[in-house]
Amino acid sequence: MNAAAATPLDVKLMNTTAAVLFLAFAGLALLAAGRWVSRLPAFDLQGISVSGDMNHNNPLTLRANVAPSLSGTFFTVDLARVRSAFESVPWVRRAVVRREFPNRLHVNLQEHQAVAYWGAEAESRLINQQGEVFEANVGEVEQEGLPRLHGPEGQSAEVLAMYRTLEPQFATMEMPLEQLELTGRGSWRARLDTGASLELGRGTVAEVDTRVQRFLKTLTQVTSRYARPLQAVESADLRHENGYAIKLRGVSTLVADAPKK
C-alpha cells in the first residue's frame, strides 16, 4: 500500500466527529419538529367515544368524570392515566383506551357483573363473576336475591367457588343458600333462606361438599320422622365425623348418623 495515499489519522477523526455531530443535529431537529407538530391545534383532543358495557353509567357521566385526565394532545395524552380514570368509576372493571387519528380517543368498557354481596350488610361491596370485590351503590344492583358472602380479605374468589359448589345442592331441596361465610379460623358457616344456620366445618371444597351431600341425603328422612317440613330446620352442625347434629323447631337437638355404606 502507498503510504502517501493513506488518510491521516487527524483527518479520520475530523470526519468521524463531523458525522456524529451531523447525526446528533439531525436527531435534535427531528425531535424539535416532532414536538412542534404534536402541539399543533389540529391535534388537540376534540372528543372521546365510549363503547362496551354501560348498564350503570352513561357516556356523558363518564366523560365528565374523566375530563381532568384528558390534558395534552393526540400524541401527548397519557393513555394510562385516562384508563385509570375510567376504571375508577363505579361499576367499571376494565377500560381499553386507544387513539383515533387525528384528535380523538376511543374507550371500550367492561363492567362488573355482580353475583353476590360481600361483607356486612352495612357495606357497599359486591363480588363480580371473577370473584373480585368492588365497591358500588348496592341500590343499583339489578339482580334480585343475590347471596351475601363473607370472608377474610383476599379470599373472595375462594368463598365464591365454595358457594357455586354448594348452592345447587341446597336449591334442589328448595332451601336456597342465602349466606356463606369463611371465618378467620378457616371454618365455613352457612345460612339458608329458611333461616336455618349451618356449621359446615373446615376443609377443601371437596371435603365440605361431601358433608353437605351427606346432610341433605338424609335430611328429609330425619324431618319426616318428627312430622316436620324441611323448613323446620333451625340449625345443624355438620362437623361430626360420622353424622351431624340437627335442631328442628319444636324438637330437641338430634344427632343423625351417617348412612351405612
Short mmCIF file of all heavy atoms in Angstrom, two decimals, residues 15-31:
data_model
loop_
_atom_site.label_atom_id
_atom_site.label_comp_id
_atom_site.label_asym_id
_atom_site.label_seq_id
_atom_site.Cartn_x
_atom_site.Cartn_y
_atom_site.Cartn_z
N ASN A 15 -13.43 13.71 10.30
CA ASN A 15 -14.58 13.19 9.54
C ASN A 15 -15.59 12.48 10.44
O ASN A 15 -16.80 12.64 10.31
CB ASN A 15 -14.09 12.25 8.44
CG ASN A 15 -13.35 12.98 7.34
OD1 ASN A 15 -13.49 14.19 7.19
ND2 ASN A 15 -12.53 12.24 6.58
N THR A 16 -15.04 11.65 11.36
CA THR A 16 -15.93 10.93 12.28
C THR A 16 -16.69 11.90 13.17
O THR A 16 -17.90 11.76 13.40
CB THR A 16 -15.12 9.95 13.14
OG1 THR A 16 -14.42 9.03 12.30
CG2 THR A 16 -16.03 9.19 14.09
N THR A 17 -15.98 12.90 13.68
CA THR A 17 -16.61 13.90 14.55
C THR A 17 -17.70 14.66 13.81
O THR A 17 -18.80 14.91 14.33
CB THR A 17 -15.56 14.88 15.10
OG1 THR A 17 -14.56 14.15 15.81
CG2 THR A 17 -16.20 15.91 16.00
N ALA A 18 -17.41 15.02 12.58
CA ALA A 18 -18.38 15.75 11.77
C ALA A 18 -19.63 14.91 11.53
O ALA A 18 -20.76 15.41 11.59
CB ALA A 18 -17.75 16.17 10.44
N ALA A 19 -19.42 13.61 11.26
CA ALA A 19 -20.57 12.72 11.01
C ALA A 19 -21.43 12.58 12.27
O ALA A 19 -22.67 12.62 12.21
CB ALA A 19 -20.08 11.35 10.55
N VAL A 20 -20.77 12.43 13.42
CA VAL A 20 -21.51 12.30 14.68
C VAL A 20 -22.29 13.57 14.98
O VAL A 20 -23.46 13.54 15.38
CB VAL A 20 -20.54 11.96 15.83
CG1 VAL A 20 -21.25 12.07 17.17
CG2 VAL A 20 -19.95 10.57 15.64
N LEU A 21 -21.64 14.72 14.78
CA LEU A 21 -22.31 16.00 15.04
C LEU A 21 -23.50 16.20 14.10
O LEU A 21 -24.56 16.69 14.51
CB LEU A 21 -21.31 17.16 14.87
CG LEU A 21 -20.25 17.27 15.96
CD1 LEU A 21 -19.23 18.36 15.60
CD2 LEU A 21 -20.89 17.56 17.33
N PHE A 22 -23.32 15.78 12.84
CA PHE A 22 -24.42 15.91 11.88
C PHE A 22 -25.62 15.05 12.30
O PHE A 22 -26.77 15.50 12.26
CB PHE A 22 -23.95 15.51 10.49
CG PHE A 22 -25.06 15.48 9.47
CD1 PHE A 22 -25.53 16.67 8.91
CD2 PHE A 22 -25.63 14.27 9.09
CE1 PHE A 22 -26.57 16.64 7.99
CE2 PHE A 22 -26.66 14.25 8.18
CZ PHE A 22 -27.14 15.43 7.62
N LEU A 23 -25.33 13.80 12.69
CA LEU A 23 -26.41 12.90 13.12
C LEU A 23 -27.11 13.43 14.37
O LEU A 23 -28.33 13.36 14.50
CB LEU A 23 -25.86 11.50 13.36
CG LEU A 23 -25.39 10.73 12.12
CD1 LEU A 23 -24.74 9.40 12.52
CD2 LEU A 23 -26.56 10.48 11.17
N ALA A 24 -26.31 13.95 15.31
CA ALA A 24 -26.89 14.49 16.53
C ALA A 24 -27.78 15.69 16.22
O ALA A 24 -28.89 15.83 16.76
CB ALA A 24 -25.79 14.89 17.51
N PHE A 25 -27.28 16.56 15.32
CA PHE A 25 -28.06 17.73 14.94
C PHE A 25 -29.36 17.32 14.24
O PHE A 25 -30.42 17.87 14.50
CB PHE A 25 -27.23 18.64 14.02
CG PHE A 25 -27.99 19.81 13.51
CD1 PHE A 25 -28.21 20.93 14.32
CD2 PHE A 25 -28.52 19.81 12.22
CE1 PHE A 25 -28.94 22.01 13.83
CE2 PHE A 25 -29.24 20.89 11.73
CZ PHE A 25 -29.46 21.99 12.55
N ALA A 26 -29.23 16.34 13.35
CA ALA A 26 -30.42 15.86 12.63
C ALA A 26 -31.43 15.26 13.60
O ALA A 26 -32.64 15.48 13.48
CB ALA A 26 -30.00 14.84 11.58
N GLY A 27 -30.91 14.52 14.58
CA GLY A 27 -31.81 13.92 15.57
C GLY A 27 -32.53 14.98 16.38
O GLY A 27 -33.74 14.89 16.63
N LEU A 28 -31.78 16.00 16.82
CA LEU A 28 -32.40 17.09 17.59
C LEU A 28 -33.41 17.85 16.75
O LEU A 28 -34.47 18.26 17.25
CB LEU A 28 -31.32 18.03 18.10
CG LEU A 28 -30.40 17.47 19.20
CD1 LEU A 28 -29.27 18.46 19.49
CD2 LEU A 28 -31.21 17.20 20.48
N ALA A 29 -33.08 18.04 15.47
CA ALA A 29 -34.00 18.74 14.58
C ALA A 29 -35.30 17.96 14.42
O ALA A 29 -36.41 18.52 14.45
CB ALA A 29 -33.34 18.99 13.22
N LEU A 30 -35.17 16.65 14.22
CA LEU A 30 -36.37 15.81 14.09
C LEU A 30 -37.20 15.82 15.36
O LEU A 30 -38.43 15.87 15.33
CB LEU A 30 -35.96 14.39 13.72
CG LEU A 30 -35.44 14.17 12.30
CD1 LEU A 30 -34.93 12.74 12.13
CD2 LEU A 30 -36.55 14.46 11.28
N LEU A 31 -36.51 15.76 16.50
CA LEU A 31 -37.21 15.78 17.78
C LEU A 31 -37.96 17.09 17.96
O LEU A 31 -39.12 17.11 18.38
CB LEU A 31 -36.21 15.58 18.92
CG LEU A 31 -36.80 15.56 20.34
CD1 LEU A 31 -37.80 14.43 20.49
CD2 LEU A 31 -35.67 15.40 21.37
#
